[in-house]
Amino acid sequence: MMGHVKPSRFRLILAVFLTASIFAQEKILYILHTNNTNGALENCYCPDHPFGAVEKRTVFINNFISSHPNSILVDAGDMFTMTHQSFKDSLLAEAYGLLPYDAILPGDQELTMSPKQINRLYDMMNINVVGTNIFLEGVDNIIASHIVEKDGIKIAILGIMDPYAVKYYTPEQKDHIVLKDPVEAIKAEMEKLVDGTDIFILLTHQGADLDYALADKIEGLHVIVGSHSQSPLDKPEEVNGTLIVQAGKEGYYVGIAELIINGKDVVSKSGRIDTMKFEMPDDERVMNFIHEYEQKSGRINRRKLKEKE
């Protein structure tokens, strides 16, 4: 015969059970984000910038995702060189393909390439390219949004560029670019997806100031991953319930946003940037790309040679 359980003990057992049930429902989603790589395959070996770049972050990101499988990886644009160096851009596209990017957004440096160049590089990368308000004549592989599912959580990734980002380009550079109103495009796409989506992430190429203003105009966004202003936001802020993040430039940092989700509700948002320190390990595959670039271009970093002597 079961012994009598005192009411106080019963309440304690019940409280522990309920608390455990609540915490058992909590899930953590990590959003790893990069932006404005600007063709930086490796560290410049500059005394005032003792940071790594793609050669370091490739190892860092792969290790992070291996330890935290509930992660997505995105990039908010300006991946390639500012001067459109075809060979180096091709190597960078191969380097991006080494990482499991869920989606990328074109930056203004990509949009001002010829459609032939863009198509070639995006085909090499084999990554989903989102552009909710972007239409490029002759470029077919840009989609309005991409859905990712992690541990039962459905995440919609959208992306926009504000016309301001290409304001100072020549008419010839802009003649194949159409940028619809960002706010209208975001709202229309979110309305299509809202019934089947738990989390909305927006990639932007417009600068941090415009990100803060945009967040005030859109309800239901959880995270804005920004770029263009090259801002290293080490303490991201929330605006209108939207966490606004950005990870500097040239591969110096990897951004990490963390969402704690209970059921269908996001109960906590936070973010940080991790520095790709010079002493971190290099990815051998990326180092091979760098060696190939040096051999074929003759452009060898003299600071690096001096450092290794």
Side-chain angles (χ1 to χ4, degrees):
M1 182 175 179
M2 185 179 293
H4 177 68
V5 179
K6 292 182 179 180
S8 59
R9 182 173 295 179
F10 177 79
R11 285 195 293 269
L12 177 60
I13 293 170
L14 181 61
V16 170
F17 176 78
L18 291 174
T19 302
S21 297
I22 290 170
F23 282 103
Q25 295 173 12
E26 284 193 348
K27 300 175 182 179
I28 300 178
L29 174 68
Y30 295 100
I31 303 160
L32 303 181
H33 56 94
T34 56
N35 61 274
N36 292 95
T37 301
N38 299 328
L41 281 168
E42 70 173 336
N43 179 281
C44 74
Y45 291 80
C46 305
D48 55 338
H49 294 101
F51 310 126
V54 172
E55 86 283 31
K56 309 288 186 185
R57 84 177 183 202
T58 303
V59 176
F60 176 87
I61 289 174
N62 274 324
N63 287 344
F64 188 97
I65 293 175
S66 178
S67 300
H68 306 84
N70 224 29
S71 301
I72 66 169
L73 176 61
V74 295
D75 188 283
D78 280 358
M79 291 153 277
F80 301 110
T81 57
M82 297 181 186
T83 52
H84 299 173
Q85 300 175 40
S86 178
F87 180 49
K88 193 173 186 182
D89 288 340
S90 297
L91 294 173
L92 192 81
E94 288 194 67
Y96 262 75
L98 298 175
L99 287 170
Y101 275 95
D102 291 286
I104 57 175
L105 170 71
D108 58 287
Q109 288 163 204
E110 284 80 65
L111 263 58
T112 52
M113 292 178 174
S114 71
K116 183 178 179 180
Q117 287 175 302
I118 298 171
N119 284 327
R120 182 179 65 84
L121 292 170
Y122 284 163
D123 286 345
M124 290 177 67
M125 296 169 82
N126 193 29
I127 301 170
N128 297 294
V129 183
V130 296
T132 310
N133 76 323
I134 299 171
F135 174 77
L136 298 181
E137 184 180 347
V139 178
D140 300 323
N141 53 2
I142 297 178
I143 56 178
S145 60
H146 177 61
I147 305 293
V148 180
E149 186 168 343
K150 294 287 182 180
D151 196 16
I153 303 166
K154 290 188 177 179
I155 306 128
I157 306 170
L158 287 69
I160 61 97
M161 177 183 290
D162 191 278
Y164 166 78
V166 295
K167 179 178 180 179
Y168 298 106
Y169 285 102
T170 66
E172 291 76 20
Q173 289 174 309
K174 296 188 291 185
D175 66 358
H176 65 291
I177 303 170
V178 176
L179 300 176
K180 299 176 183 177
D181 181 271
V183 174
E184 291 181 6
I186 295 164
K187 288 182 175 179
E189 190 67 14
M190 287 180 69
E191 188 174 345
K192 291 180 188 175
L193 302 174
V194 66
D195 289 339
T197 301
D198 303 310
I199 303 293
F200 281 100
I201 297 171
L202 176 67
L203 312 182
T204 71
H205 201 90
Q206 59 182 1
D209 288 347
L210 291 180
D211 286 343
Y212 297 132
L214 179 65
D216 258 334
K217 300 174 184 176
I218 308 287
E219 301 295 330
L221 282 177
H222 296 91
V223 180
I224 289 178
V225 177
S227 61
H228 193 61
S229 58
Q230 307 187 131
S231 307
L233 301 181
D234 56 346
K235 294 182 180 179
E237 301 176 13
E238 281 191 56
V239 175
N240 192 26
T242 304
L243 184 71
I244 297 173
V245 301
Q246 195 176 151
K249 65 176 182 177
E250 295 177 15
Y252 295 162
Y253 311 99
V254 171
I256 304 172
E258 179 181 308
L259 305 187
I260 298 177
I261 302 164
N262 192 324
K264 299 295 183 181
D265 299 321
V266 178
V267 297
S268 174
K269 306 185 191 82
S270 62
R272 69 180 193 270
I273 53 175
D274 278 15
T275 305
M276 301 297 100
K277 297 178 181 177
F278 189 70
E279 61 268 21
M280 293 170 69
D282 297 324
D283 185 281
E284 288 301 321
R285 297 163 298 178
V286 177
M287 296 308 294
N288 287 336
F289 295 151
I290 293 166
H291 180 71
E292 183 180 356
Y293 173 72
E294 291 176 337
Q295 292 298 307
K296 291 187 177 179
S297 70
R299 298 177 180 177
I300 299 174
N301 190 325
R302 300 300 171 185
R303 293 192 188 97
K304 178 171 68 174
L305 291 181
K306 187 175 181 181
E307 181 80 23
K308 292 186 174 183
E309 287 176 354

